[in-house]
Amino acid sequence: MSEAGINELLKNTFWPSTESKVSTAAMLLSLTSTLSGEERVKSLLRAEGLKFAVTEVGGKTGGEFQDKVSRSIIGCCLNNNIIHKTSNEIHALLHAVEEAKRGMMVNVASSVSLAIKVAVVRDDHWIAVAMYGQSAIHPITNHHRSGLGVMHL
């Protein structure tokens, strides 16, 4: 199948309506596990006129991870021109981050290590934060986790 055919298949499969575009795009981007897969999704998002950024965050649950992930995502979005340094855009991003973190932290033990990939996608009206990664108390006990937050700008 050609690159154009794959892109058309992805668009028709994952976001047939504009309402779900940023949230689906963010989750799809966070799920990529290779650079080539990430670049393919980024190419599709560019063609759709969406803004996006990707970062990775790790740490232990509790204060360290909670603080680190929020700061990392805000910095990533500002550095990649996903948001402007205005109170309404930072506020919307923080709400989406908090919602995504709640999804990641459901039923997490008190001292768990997390390694996650975070994708942020926005259009003119919505911003979505998707997180996907692993948590573990011990390396052989990994659990895959995901979280998604969406907020109106």
Side-chain angles (χ1 to χ4, degrees):
M1 181 178 273
S2 71
E3 185 77 21
I6 291 170
N7 285 349
E8 195 61 33
L9 176 67
L10 285 171
K11 282 193 326 188
N12 291 335
T13 302
F14 288 106
W15 53 73
S17 68
T18 57
E19 295 86 28
S20 64
K21 189 180 287 187
V22 294
S23 58
T24 306
M27 188 54 75
L28 187 60
L29 187 55
S30 75
L31 289 168
T32 58
S33 59
T34 64
L35 285 176
S36 63
E38 184 177 306
E39 287 305 316
R40 177 172 275 167
V41 173
K42 285 178 177 179
S43 174
L44 178 61
L45 302 186
R46 270 187 216 97
E48 290 293 309
L50 298 171
K51 292 182 178 183
F52 55 86
V54 178
T55 190
E56 294 180 358
V57 183
K60 290 216 175 254
T61 54
E64 177 192 2
F65 178 78
Q66 297 285 355
D67 295 338
K68 190 185 217 183
V69 72
S70 296
R71 286 192 316 271
S72 177
I73 294 169
I74 291 170
C76 177
C77 289
L78 288 169
N79 292 338
N80 287 285
N81 298 312
I82 305 306
I83 61 168
H84 299 99
K85 205 172 193 176
T86 63
S87 61
N88 64 322
E89 290 193 5
I90 291 175
H91 183 252
L93 175 62
L94 281 173
H95 272 281
V97 168
E98 290 301 314
E99 191 175 333
K101 281 196 299 190
R102 277 193 294 277
M104 286 294 294
M105 304 301 281
V106 172
N107 295 326
V108 173
S110 60
S111 182
V112 172
S113 294
L114 292 159
I116 63 168
K117 183 173 188 174
V118 180
V120 181
V121 178
R122 74 164 284 179
D123 61 14
D124 292 336
H125 303 289
W126 296 93
I127 191 161
V129 176
M131 300 177 180
Y132 176 76
Q134 296 182 356
S135 67
I137 294 173
H138 186 276
I140 62 171
T141 65
N142 283 351
H143 292 95
H144 291 266
R145 299 184 172 275
S146 65
L148 177 66
V150 183
M151 187 67 186
H152 191 272
L153 290 163

